[in-house]
Amino acid sequence: MELAPEASTNIRNVWANSGGDKVTRDELRAWDNPDGVVTRVWDGTHIALFGARNETVEFNLILEAPESKATNVTVDISSLTGSNGGIIRASEAGQDNLFDYVGRDIELFYVRYLQIRGLSTRIFFGGYDYDERHIPYRCRRPYDANSKASGLWTDRPCHNLYYPDIAVPIELEQNFIIPAGTNQSIWGDITIPDNAPAGVYSGVFDVRENGTTTWRIPITLQVRDFSLPDLPSARTMVYVSSSNLSDRYLGMDCPKSSPDSPPCDQLPLLLDRHFMLAHRHRISLVSDNVPLARIDEAWRARLSGELFTPRQGYAGPGTGIGNNVFAIGMYGTWSWQTGSRADMWANTDAWVEWFEAQGFMTPTDYFLYLTDESNDYKQIERWSAWINQNPGPGQRLMSMATINVVTAAQHTPSLDIPTTWPVPGSSEWQQAVNMYLEADDKQFYMYNSNRPITGSFAIEDEGVALRALAWSQHKMGIDRWFYWESTYYDNFQGQMGRTNVFQQAQTFGSLERYDSLLGETGRNYLNGDGVLFYPGTDKQFPEDSYGVAGPLASLRLKYWRRGIQDVDYLTMAAEADPLRTK
C-alpha cells in the first residue's frame, strides 16, 4: 500500500527513514522502487517511531521531485497527541527565539548538502591502498575476493555526489524549491518530555506547494514506560573555538582585543548557545583556556547546570545537569608551564579548592591538559609527578595529555589520563588500556576517529558511523571520547585559509591535486573534519549567512547523539541483566 497525494503535485513520492542511511540529493529511491524504501520507520503510508521518555527520536522525510521542479514548498508538523491525554508539542520559533527550546518538543530542519569532490584519506586508514573494505560502502570501487580494487574515482558510487549534513531550522528556510530530478530531506527531532505518559501519540506532517496541501503524512510515536538518564553513560568532550566564533559571527578577533567591549561582549552568549545545542545532543563541550579569576563568570552556570534550565531558555535532556567536564589549560595553554614545582603546587591547589568549594551536583571530570601530541615524554612525566607529589589539595587534580597509551604506560607512568587515537589493537596495546581502566586513580580517553577501528566523522562516511563510535566506546569501557574541534572554520593547518563551510565539504588538510583514484586530494584531505556546528551568522561569507546569533547543528552531531542514547539503553539493560548483555 502506498500513500496518495492530496492534490496535484510535482513531489511525486514521499517516504522516510531513521536517518542512518544517508540519502544523497540525486537519489530517487521511491520513484525507482516504492517497495525498496519500506522499513520499520516507513511502511509506505505513515511514519512510525518509538522511544523512551527523555529521549530524542529522529526521522528523515524525503520529498522526491523526479520530473518537474517543485516550487514554494513549505512543511509543518502538528503536535502529537496521545489517547492518554498527553501532548508532545510542536511550536515554530521566530528568528529572535530560535534558541529558546521551552515548549518546543518537535523541531524540523531543512537539510543542506555538500559535494564530495574527493575521498577523506587520513581517517580511512589507507584502505584505498590495500583493502577497499576499509572505505565506506558507498565510496568503494569494485573489488575482488582479496579486496583488491579496480576502477577510478568515477567508479566510486559517492563520487561528486551531494551528501546531507547541514541541519537548518525550518524557520530559516520556510519556502524552498526542489529542482527536477532531485530530492529534499526534511529532518525531524522529537524530544519526548520526561513527564510524557506512556502510550501511542499521533499527528500529521503536511507538505504544501504554492499554498496548496499536497501531502498529509500520518506519524505515530509509541512512548515507552521508562526514561533515559539525564547524564549520558557515554561521556564526551568536544572543543569549541571562541576565536573561530568571533571571526565568523562578529567579523573580528575578539580574544586579542577587549573581550568586554562591543561587539565582543556578544561572545559569551554565542558560546553558551553552542553549549546548549550540544547539551541537547548529549555532548559536553570544552573551550579555550580561562584563568581562575574569570572562571565564575565564564563557566559556573555551565558546570552547575543553571545554563541548562528553562530560565535560560533550555528544555530537553539534561535539564539542570551540568556540563560534566572541564579542561584547565585547553591544548596545553596553562600559564605556569615555565614555573617551578612550587608554582605547580600553588596553581593546582587553587583550582582544586575552587572546584571542591562549588558543591556541583553533577559529577565533573576536571583535569590539567598538560600538552597536545608532544613527544617530550620527560616533561609530561615531570609535570604529572609534580602534581602527584603535591602535599596539598592539588594532588587530587588529574593530569591529561594526548599520547599513545603504550607510550604513556612505558614513559609517563605518573600521567593520569592518556588520551589516544584509535589504532589497530595488539596484545601490548590492550594490556596498557586495561591497566588504566582497572586503576582507581586513572582514566582512559580516546579521541577523534579512524576507520576501520571506529566509525569516522567524515561527511561521506555512513550515517551509522558515529552511532557505531559510541557503541565502540561502550564496548571498550572508554571513560570519555574527545573530538578535537567542532568549529574549525579556518583551515590554517592545510594553509587554505577560511572555509565556506556551507559550500565546501573539505575542511581539513591541503588540496594539492586531482587523483584518478581519490578525486581531489592532498595531505590529510578530510571532509567535515573539525566542523560539527555551522555558523548561524557568517561575516566572512555573508552570501550564506542566516543572520542568527547561534549555531546550526550538523547531521553528524545527531548521528552521534543516536549512538550515545543507544549506550544508555545498553547500560540500563546491563543493570537489569548483566549476563545477557555482556
Side-chain angles (χ1 to χ4, degrees):
M1 189 173 178
E2 190 175 349
L3 186 69
E6 299 285 316
S8 177
T9 174
N10 287 337
I11 299 173
R12 301 294 298 277
N13 300 88
V14 299
W15 59 284
N17 67 12
S18 60
D21 180 4
K22 294 182 180 179
V23 181
T24 56
R25 194 172 68 180
D26 63 293
E27 294 185 78
L28 300 171
R29 297 189 195 180
W31 174 254
D32 294 334
N33 179 16
D35 292 336
V37 298
V38 172
T39 63
R40 173 186 59 78
V41 171
W42 178 254
D43 66 357
T45 63
H46 83 291
I47 300 170
L49 308 169
F50 72 88
R53 290 186 288 261
N54 206 36
E55 177 179 359
T56 300
V57 296
E58 55 278 303
F59 65 91
N60 186 36
L61 180 70
I62 299 96
L63 312 176
E64 295 184 354
E67 297 179 312
S68 302
K69 176 173 65 175
T71 58
N72 195 24
V73 181
T74 62
V75 298
D76 63 61
I77 190 171
S78 69
S79 295
L80 305 183
T81 57
S83 57
N84 48 30
I87 299 178
I88 299 175
R89 300 186 183 280
S91 176
E92 281 197 5
Q95 188 161 321
D96 293 337
N97 64 337
L98 197 61
F99 302 98
D100 185 341
Y101 303 105
V102 177
R104 296 171 58 214
D105 304 324
I106 304 175
E107 295 177 278
L108 298 180
F109 302 90
Y110 172 88
V111 175
R112 289 184 57 168
Y113 303 80
L114 292 165
Q115 188 179 27
I116 302 302
R117 302 188 183 103
L119 190 69
S120 296
T121 54
R122 183 185 185 195
I123 54 178
F124 292 157
F125 207 59
Y128 55 88
D129 287 330
Y130 72 97
D131 191 333
E132 195 71 15
R133 294 171 301 174
H134 289 185
I135 305 300
Y137 177 78
R138 295 183 63 190
C139 289
R140 295 173 189 169
R141 294 176 294 150
Y143 59 92
D144 61 22
N146 297 316
S147 303
K148 189 68 175 177
S150 60
L152 303 173
W153 166 245
T154 51
D155 294 301
R156 298 187 186 276
C158 70
H159 78 276
N160 299 328
L161 294 187
Y162 287 81
Y163 268 64
D165 195 57
I166 308 169
V168 181
I170 200 67
E171 292 86 351
L172 302 178
E173 291 279 4
Q174 298 241 347
N175 297 277
F176 55 88
I177 293 171
I178 307 175
T182 70
N183 71 69
Q184 177 60 53
S185 282
I186 303 296
W187 187 279
D189 277 348
I190 303 176
T191 300
I192 303 172
D194 202 28
N195 60 355
V200 177
Y201 292 70
S202 301
V204 177
F205 195 114
D206 283 335
V207 180
R208 298 181 181 87
E209 296 167 67
N210 300 306
T212 299
T213 299
T214 54
W215 291 92
R216 301 205 81 205
I217 305 155
I219 180 169
T220 61
L221 169 64
Q222 183 176 13
V223 176
R224 306 291 193 184
D225 194 17
F226 61 91
S227 298
L228 294 192
D230 277 317
L231 189 62
S233 303
R235 307 291 170 83
T236 57
M237 173 175 128
V238 176
Y239 174 68
V240 58
S241 165
S242 59
S243 62
N244 281 329
L245 297 191
S246 59
D247 180 62
R248 288 304 169 101
Y249 287 84
L250 308 176
M252 59 190 302
D253 188 0
C254 287
K256 294 181 180 178
S257 60
S258 175
D260 299 319
S261 301
C264 292
D265 57 351
Q266 301 172 32
L267 188 56
L269 175 63
L270 292 170
L271 281 165
D272 280 347
R273 286 180 171 174
H274 284 74
F275 274 82
M276 293 170 76
L277 186 59
H279 203 73
R280 280 176 61 82
H281 289 79
R282 297 181 178 270
I283 300 293
S284 300
L285 297 186
V286 290
S287 192
D288 303 288
N289 184 48
V290 174
L292 186 57
R294 300 195 66 172
I295 191 68
D296 278 284
E297 63 181 285
W299 269 88
R300 197 178 193 287
R302 301 167 186 166
L303 295 172
S304 69
E306 170 59 28
L307 177 63
F308 311 113
T309 61
R311 283 187 294 178
Q312 304 298 327
Y314 184 86
T319 296
I321 301 297
N323 188 67
N324 81 66
V325 66
F326 181 81
I328 301 167
M330 187 67 196
Y331 283 124
T333 55
W334 43 290
S335 61
W336 63 96
Q337 294 184 34
T338 59
S340 64
R341 185 176 69 166
D343 294 318
M344 177 69 81
W345 288 3
N347 282 278
T348 55
D349 281 349
W351 276 104
V352 171
E353 286 169 353
W354 185 85
F355 269 96
E356 294 184 351
Q358 306 312 307
F360 293 136
M361 298 300 293
T362 303
T364 302
D365 292 329
Y366 63 99
F367 49 81
L368 182 62
Y369 196 138
L370 294 178
T371 188
D372 187 63
E373 297 183 350
S374 170
N375 58 7
D376 190 348
Y377 308 132
K378 289 184 179 180
Q379 182 66 277
I380 295 172
E381 174 61 18
R382 181 182 302 112
W383 284 333
S384 302
W386 282 357
I387 296 173
N388 294 342
Q389 294 161 4
N390 188 341
Q395 184 187 64
R396 295 190 287 276
L397 181 64
M398 301 195 82
S399 54
M400 176 269 201
T402 48
I403 184 174
N404 179 278
V405 66
V406 175
T407 302
Q410 293 174 347
H411 298 288
T412 63
S414 298
L415 181 69
D416 296 318
I417 312 174
T419 303
T420 299
W421 265 84
V423 296
S426 65
S427 58
E428 184 182 31
W429 190 90
Q430 191 59 56
Q431 184 178 5
V433 171
N434 292 342
M435 181 190 74
Y436 285 99
L437 293 178
E438 293 167 5
D440 293 335
D441 59 345
K442 303 283 189 182
Q443 291 188 0
F444 178 62
Y445 294 178
M446 294 192 76
Y447 75 115
N448 296 347
S449 60
N450 201 352
R451 281 180 67 109
I453 302 138
T454 67
S456 82
F457 287 86
I459 290 173
E460 73 269 32
D461 206 344
E462 319 294 353
V464 296
L466 290 175
R467 189 175 186 180
L469 184 144
W471 299 345
S472 300
Q473 179 182 356
H474 172 72
K475 185 68 175 178
M476 292 290 294
I478 308 303
D479 292 304
R480 193 174 291 274
W481 205 282
F482 169 36
Y483 188 52
W484 74 284
E485 168 68 290
S486 60
T487 52
Y488 187 69
Y489 304 146
D490 181 358
N491 185 4
F492 68 91
Q493 295 184 67
Q495 298 182 337
M496 295 187 64
R498 296 183 178 100
T499 304
N500 184 344
V501 292
F502 289 97
Q503 299 296 333
Q504 181 175 319
Q506 183 212 356
T507 53
F508 190 89
S510 60
L511 172 55
E512 300 165 353
R513 66 188 188 280
Y514 177 86
D515 184 272
S516 62
L517 303 183
L518 305 175
E520 288 185 354
T521 196
R523 184 176 183 273
N524 292 334
Y525 183 102
L526 295 169
N527 294 310
D529 195 51
V531 176
L532 291 180
F533 299 109
Y534 290 88
T537 291
D538 197 333
K539 297 281 190 179
Q540 304 304 333
F541 298 94
E543 64 276 12
D544 282 295
S545 179
Y546 284 95
V548 295
L552 314 181
S554 63
L555 292 187
R556 287 167 294 141
L557 198 66
K558 299 180 184 300
Y559 300 142
W560 197 5
R561 174 188 62 198
R562 179 64 268 160
I564 291 168
Q565 292 182 144
D566 290 346
V567 171
D568 285 331
Y569 271 94
L570 292 168
T571 303
M572 295 168 69
E575 291 172 355
D577 193 332
L579 291 179
R580 293 178 65 187
T581 54
K582 187 172 181 180

